Amino acid sequence: MGNSVVIGVRVPRWVKEELERLGIDYSREIREYLIRRVREERAKRLIKEIDRLAEKIGRLKGNLASEFIREDRELF
């Protein structure tokens, strides 16, 4: 896993006891959850940044796809 750090989390005693009784690997669960949340948040922020840039650029006029296809056909 490379470089790692320890993050402490406080939960009520009964929660830890239930996790253990149910055989849930809470370390793995917490680790996977945090990794998933980081990925989700990065994606969300990236989408916001893309939207911001798209707004700044504005819409392009015309049908670029058909223009590119036409250009390609003219080359051959």
Side-chain angles (χ1 to χ4, degrees):
M1 194 184 292
N3 292 337
S4 63
V5 296
V6 175
I7 297 176
V9 179
R10 286 192 180 273
V11 295
R13 181 179 306 275
W14 68 267
V15 172
K16 183 173 187 264
E17 291 169 354
E18 278 297 298
L19 289 167
E20 289 173 347
R21 186 180 73 74
L22 296 168
I24 297 172
D25 183 354
Y26 53 86
S27 294
R28 183 177 54 80
E29 295 283 337
I30 294 169
R31 187 179 320 108
E32 289 174 0
Y33 171 78
L34 292 175
I35 290 169
R36 186 173 55 251
R37 278 291 295 129
V38 166
R39 289 180 178 151
E40 289 170 357
E41 190 62 30
R42 281 182 179 169
K44 189 167 81 173
R45 291 179 187 211
L46 185 58
I47 289 169
K48 281 184 182 179
E49 181 66 12
I50 289 169
D51 288 344
R52 187 186 69 76
L53 291 173
E55 233 177 76
K56 190 175 181 179
I57 292 170
R59 292 190 56 79
L60 298 174
K61 293 181 181 175
N63 186 349
L64 289 179
S66 64
E67 290 178 33
F68 290 145
I69 292 170
R70 199 169 289 117
E71 280 180 28
D72 286 345
R73 287 180 181 164
E74 289 173 3
L75 290 175
F76 296 105

